[in-house]
């Protein structure tokens, strides 16, 4: 933030940013990294072995455009779940830390957990839709959902399975969301603050890049178990394999405890650039809003 003593500048900077900025930044990032997210989901939910082999299989079976399967589901998910988590995190930080200065690490983690819980509940139906659309063509033909796009898919999911389908996988998805936001959002703020406090870097793109790199690594490791379980529940067919305990038992019996980190490399490879792109984009969007307000703009 600016340290200017100008009352006008301070009021511009301190005014809350539009709540949808996080969703826009996440949508831009997800559009670029979608092929990696697609590959991660297919590794988690199918018998594919290795990231490169899975990518080659997708291209061989569906062409290069196959790497964009489920993109509309991804965008819908970002403008619901991601928009909510960023907006809720800003709100939660203000609730848990009323004093001056930067909140301590535990308060940032608490704010991230609160935001993650809210976003996880709101975003679960759209997360389910996204995962299904991404995993679909890696499954046997008879097990595919064949959604044409996110709107038609959401309609079919609701009409064919009832409103109860909106809550499918909500437990592990909300847990993953809590872990993700606690680790990603809070660690980004922590890395950024500590690097500036130590006077190692000034506020700018390089600082944002390094802080994002640390946040992405922390978040991938913390979230991997819940992410794998969530993906398997959301794509499972039949009631016996759709419960959290049922999926865990079945996966442990077949693959052992390391199944919880299956797809870690593509998850990290996907989450790292996504995290970097999200925060770099978000910081630039905020600067753009500041510049717009400083020029006299009133709409944002």
């Amino acid at each position: 933030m600016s340290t200017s003593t100008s009352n006008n500048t301070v009021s511009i900077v301190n005014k809350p940013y539009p709540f949808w900025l996080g969703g826009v930044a996440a949508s831009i990032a997800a559009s670029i990294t979608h092929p990696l997210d697609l590959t991660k989901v297919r590794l988690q939910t199918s018998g594919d072995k290795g990231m490169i082999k899975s990518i080659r299989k997708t291209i061989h079976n569906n062409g290069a455009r196959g790497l964009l399967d489920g993109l509309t589901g991804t965008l819908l998910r970002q403008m619901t779940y991601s928009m909510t988590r960023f907006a809720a995190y800003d709100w939660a930080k203000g609730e848990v830390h009323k004093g001056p200065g930067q909140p301590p690490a535990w308060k940032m983690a608490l704010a991230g957990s609160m935001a993650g819980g809210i976003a996880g509940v709101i975003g679960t139906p759209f997360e389910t839709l996204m995962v299904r659309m991404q995993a679909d063509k890696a499954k046997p033909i008879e097990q595919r959902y064949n959604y044409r796009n996110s709107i038609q898919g959401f309609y079919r999911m609701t009409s064919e399975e009832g409103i109860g389908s909106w809550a499918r996988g909500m437990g592990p998805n909300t847990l993953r969301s809590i872990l993700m936001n606690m680790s990603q959002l809070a660690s980004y703020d922590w890395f950024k603050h500590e690097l500036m406090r130590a006077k190692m870097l000034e506020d700018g793109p390089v600082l944002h890049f390094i802080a994002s790199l640390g946040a992405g690594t922390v978040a991938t490791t913390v979230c991997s178990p819940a992410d794998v379980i969530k993906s398997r529940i959301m794509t499972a067919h039949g009631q016996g394999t759709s419960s959290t305990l049922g999926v865990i038992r079945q996966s442990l019996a077949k693959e052992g405890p390391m199944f919880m980190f299956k797809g870690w490399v593509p998850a990290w490879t996907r989450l790292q650039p996504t995290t970097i792109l999200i925060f770099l984009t978000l910081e630039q969007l905020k600067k753009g809003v500041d510049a717009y307000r400083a020029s006299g703009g009133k709409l944002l």
Side-chain angles (χ1 to χ4, degrees):
M1 283 191 176
S2 171
T3 56
S4 170
T5 57
S6 166
N7 290 334
N8 184 51
T9 301
V10 170
S11 66
I12 291 170
V13 173
N14 287 341
K15 181 182 177 181
Y17 290 104
F19 71 93
W20 43 261
L21 279 191
V24 172
S27 295
I28 293 170
S31 297
I32 296 171
T33 62
H34 182 76
L36 294 173
D37 196 30
L38 178 80
T39 302
K40 179 207 70 172
V41 170
R42 290 184 175 177
L43 280 169
Q44 291 175 343
T45 59
S46 72
D48 290 352
K49 302 290 184 182
M51 180 177 66
I52 301 301
K53 184 176 289 187
S54 181
I55 291 174
R56 286 176 177 170
K57 180 179 176 182
T58 297
I59 295 174
H60 178 266
N61 292 340
N62 306 300
R65 291 183 63 183
L67 294 173
L68 297 178
D69 285 342
L71 180 59
T72 61
T74 295
L75 295 176
L76 180 59
R77 183 252 192 184
Q78 299 304 334
M79 289 307 295
T80 50
Y81 163 75
S82 291
M83 183 172 68
T84 300
R85 74 187 183 108
F86 279 102
Y89 180 60
D90 288 339
W91 164 80
K93 281 195 295 184
E95 291 298 310
V96 302
H97 185 71
K98 300 292 188 181
Q102 181 78 1
W106 73 268
K107 285 189 175 181
M108 289 190 288
L110 176 60
S113 299
M114 293 167 63
I118 296 168
V121 172
I122 291 175
T124 290
F126 310 104
E127 184 86 18
T128 300
L129 179 67
M130 179 191 74
V131 171
R132 286 182 176 185
M133 292 180 71
Q134 290 178 348
D136 219 27
K137 289 184 181 178
K139 288 180 165 291
I141 293 176
E142 65 275 9
Q143 294 183 13
R144 294 179 184 178
Y145 292 98
N146 295 315
Y147 298 150
R148 290 197 303 271
N149 54 59
S150 59
I151 303 302
Q152 188 257 4
F154 189 64
Y155 172 79
R156 275 189 53 198
M157 189 173 81
T158 305
S159 62
E160 294 171 8
E161 303 172 51
I163 293 179
S165 65
W166 294 6
R168 188 167 189 177
M170 184 173 286
N173 187 55
T174 302
L175 173 60
R176 176 193 176 276
S177 180
I178 291 171
L179 294 173
M180 171 62 74
N181 288 281
M182 177 184 69
S183 56
Q184 187 191 57
L185 299 185
S187 63
Y188 175 79
D189 274 354
W190 184 84
F191 279 120
K192 182 179 173 182
H193 178 259
E194 290 302 308
L195 288 168
M196 291 178 66
R197 188 173 65 86
K199 298 182 179 179
M200 297 176 65
L201 292 169
E202 295 183 355
D203 192 13
V206 175
L207 172 67
H208 305 155
F209 177 86
I210 299 299
S212 300
L213 198 66
T217 301
V218 172
T220 302
T221 305
V222 170
C223 295
S224 182
D227 198 24
V228 172
I229 294 168
K230 174 221 43 165
S231 293
R232 294 189 178 191
I233 289 173
M234 289 179 172
T235 59
H237 283 264
Q239 296 299 317
T241 57
S242 63
S243 70
T244 301
L245 289 178
V247 166
I248 292 174
R249 287 196 200 100
Q250 187 178 78
S251 299
L252 282 172
K254 290 183 177 180
E255 304 167 67
M258 288 306 294
F259 87 90
M260 292 186 291
F261 294 95
K262 188 172 183 181
W264 189 94
V265 172
W268 181 86
T269 306
R270 168 259 175 187
L271 186 61
Q272 201 61 272
T274 299
T275 302
I276 292 168
L277 285 168
I278 285 175
F279 286 115
L280 286 177
T281 303
L282 184 58
E283 296 282 6
Q284 293 306 309
L285 288 173
K286 288 180 176 179
K287 286 186 177 181
V289 170
D290 288 340
Y292 171 77
R293 291 172 176 173
S295 68
K298 304 294 184 181
L299 297 178
L300 297 177

